[in-house]
Amino acid sequence: MPKSIKELTHLKPAAHPGIGALFSKAHSHIWHIDRDLDWHLDVKKDDPCVDSSWAPFGRTPAFVGLPLEVKQRVARQALGRMLNIMQLGESLAQDVCAKLVLICKEKDYRNHAAAQTMDEARHHLAFARFMEKMGDEFEAVNPITEAAFDEILQSDDQTFLIASTQFFFENVGMPLLDKLEEKATHPLLKRIVHLISRDESRHMAFGLFFVTEFLRAAPPESRRAFAHYWLSRILQVFDDPYAPHALRLMKNWLEKAGVADAERLGERMWEERGLLREEDRPETLTGRRVHQLLSVARQAGLLAPDILEAVGLSRHPLILGALRVPPQV
């Protein structure tokens, strides 16, 4: 945080040329929460607002075979829980960006963070207002995500804050937003997600540019420590640490929907989910399907041979799969 006005007269530009352009794009892409969203649209109590296949375990035969009314009730509960997590994530990002405005010494970083702060305020408000229209009580954020969010809030380290929010969590969330936009059946929800996704692509670009420049300029020991921490975090995502919590929620939602023996049915879904993941595994290992996290890690230089050798991940099967895909231009 600047201690004197003299510090503000000597702010330096960002080293990566792409970061400065993001501030201009923020102005051309801005949208108005009241003018560009039709809040007159109702959200009926029995409207799932999303195709039931979007729900956790929605691809399993046990879920597909449930009565339509049950699937829709579960999908609505799953949607509310996800929106609750997302609106908290947007609020977290708003706090982080406001902090970055104060601690960054590069004028382009400050400008982008200021613009993103306003974006995140709109995102949080849009999700919160849609949840109010739904009018239901939804589950709190899961303990793993809560702990990760708290860690970010307690940090004042510029590199950690940007790597956590614009690089890691934005790229965790973007595939979820893409799938939600695809599966949303309520027009207001679909429009909200579309507009938010457009902003998030710009936020992710900032994270990518920042990490790319950090890895280029940092000394070897800092690059190694950064890569060790963040590649570990990225690879943990593929272990799906949230799945046990999602299973507990699914059993609860099935019980609320009046399903007999929800415990047994939930266990069946868990087993079937495991089989589906095994069927999907060859596509990941061969590079036919690369998660966005690994794709952006490669673009940033995190999968460079010297880095992977230094952190002992040169032969990790998921990384080898990601490296089989031609790099994006």
Side-chain angles (χ1 to χ4, degrees):
M1 183 182 302
K3 303 296 185 187
S4 71
I5 195 65
K6 287 183 178 179
E7 292 183 56
L8 293 179
T9 64
H10 297 290
L11 295 173
K12 56 187 178 182
H16 196 292
I19 291 178
L22 294 175
F23 186 59
S24 297
K25 289 183 179 179
H27 291 286
S28 61
H29 291 174
I30 197 167
W31 50 276
H32 193 287
I33 192 162
D34 290 312
R35 185 182 62 238
D36 296 318
L37 293 170
D38 186 359
W39 294 105
H40 294 98
L41 293 170
D42 290 330
V43 180
K44 297 179 180 178
K45 295 295 290 183
D46 60 349
D47 185 353
C49 302
V50 67
D51 188 274
S52 60
S53 63
W54 180 84
F57 310 98
R59 293 170 55 212
T60 63
F63 184 85
V64 172
L66 289 169
L68 178 60
E69 181 182 356
V70 171
K71 290 190 290 188
Q72 289 181 337
R73 289 184 63 180
V74 168
R76 183 181 173 98
Q77 289 296 309
L79 172 64
R81 167 184 169 267
M82 181 59 69
L83 292 180
N84 193 29
I85 295 173
M86 286 181 170
Q87 63 96 11
L88 286 172
E90 305 292 357
S91 187
L92 165 73
Q94 183 181 355
D95 280 11
V96 167
C97 290
K99 188 182 294 187
L100 289 172
V101 172
L102 297 176
I103 66 176
C104 289
K105 292 183 171 56
E106 299 84 358
K107 60 183 178 181
D108 297 319
Y109 292 177
R110 287 163 55 94
N111 290 344
H112 172 81
Q116 186 176 340
T117 302
M118 196 62 175
D119 290 341
E120 304 298 358
R122 282 197 310 276
H123 299 178
H124 173 266
L125 183 56
F127 280 141
R129 284 175 67 172
F130 189 84
M131 291 171 64
E132 287 175 6
K133 278 185 165 289
M134 293 180 76
D136 300 333
E137 291 288 333
F138 299 116
E139 288 80 4
V141 63
N142 64 70
I144 297 174
T145 302
E146 181 180 358
F149 284 1
D150 285 345
E151 182 184 19
I152 295 169
L153 284 173
Q154 293 159 15
S155 176
D156 290 318
D157 182 83
Q158 174 181 312
T159 300
F160 179 76
L161 290 172
I162 296 174
S164 297
T165 53
Q166 287 100 329
F167 185 73
F168 181 76
F169 272 114
E170 295 277 12
N171 284 288
V172 169
M174 194 63 178
L176 299 176
L177 284 174
D178 288 343
K179 181 60 70 174
L180 181 54
E181 183 179 1
E182 175 192 338
K183 296 292 186 178
T185 55
H186 194 286
L188 176 57
L189 176 63
K190 187 178 283 287
R191 178 67 173 162
I192 289 171
V193 175
H194 173 75
L195 291 173
I196 289 177
S197 296
R198 194 175 69 186
D199 291 342
E200 301 294 11
S201 64
R202 190 174 65 256
H203 305 166
M204 289 188 300
F206 175 73
L208 171 60
F209 294 158
F210 177 88
V211 172
T212 300
E213 183 57 29
F214 173 84
L215 292 173
R216 184 196 67 78
E221 60 272 17
S222 296
R223 295 172 77 236
R224 184 165 55 249
F226 182 93
H228 184 270
Y229 180 85
W230 286 109
L231 286 175
S232 297
R233 289 285 301 273
I234 288 170
L235 293 173
Q236 285 171 3
V237 171
F238 296 91
D239 294 331
D240 204 0
Y242 312 103
H245 182 71
L247 177 62
R248 290 192 291 272
L249 290 173
M250 173 60 78
K251 292 176 180 178
N252 184 44
W253 295 333
L254 290 172
E255 288 181 359
K256 286 183 178 179
V259 174
D261 203 1
E263 180 74 23
R264 180 190 58 80
L265 186 59
E267 294 300 331
R268 229 177 89 198
M269 290 180 186
W270 181 265
E271 294 172 3
E272 292 171 353
R273 168 190 171 276
L275 295 174
L276 290 171
R277 283 171 62 84
E278 283 302 311
E279 290 177 6
D280 294 340
R281 188 170 173 80
E283 289 197 350
T284 304
L285 298 181
T286 59
R288 290 196 299 271
R289 179 189 298 172
V290 179
H291 191 282
Q292 185 161 318
L293 272 172
L294 284 173
S295 177
V296 78
R298 184 178 184 184
Q299 292 177 65
L302 262 179
L303 305 190
D306 63 315
I307 290 179
L308 294 178
E309 184 68 28
V311 298
L313 290 172
S314 296
R315 306 306 301 169
H316 193 287
L318 290 174
I319 290 176
L320 289 175
L323 291 173
R324 290 190 177 98
V325 181
Q328 295 186 16
V329 179

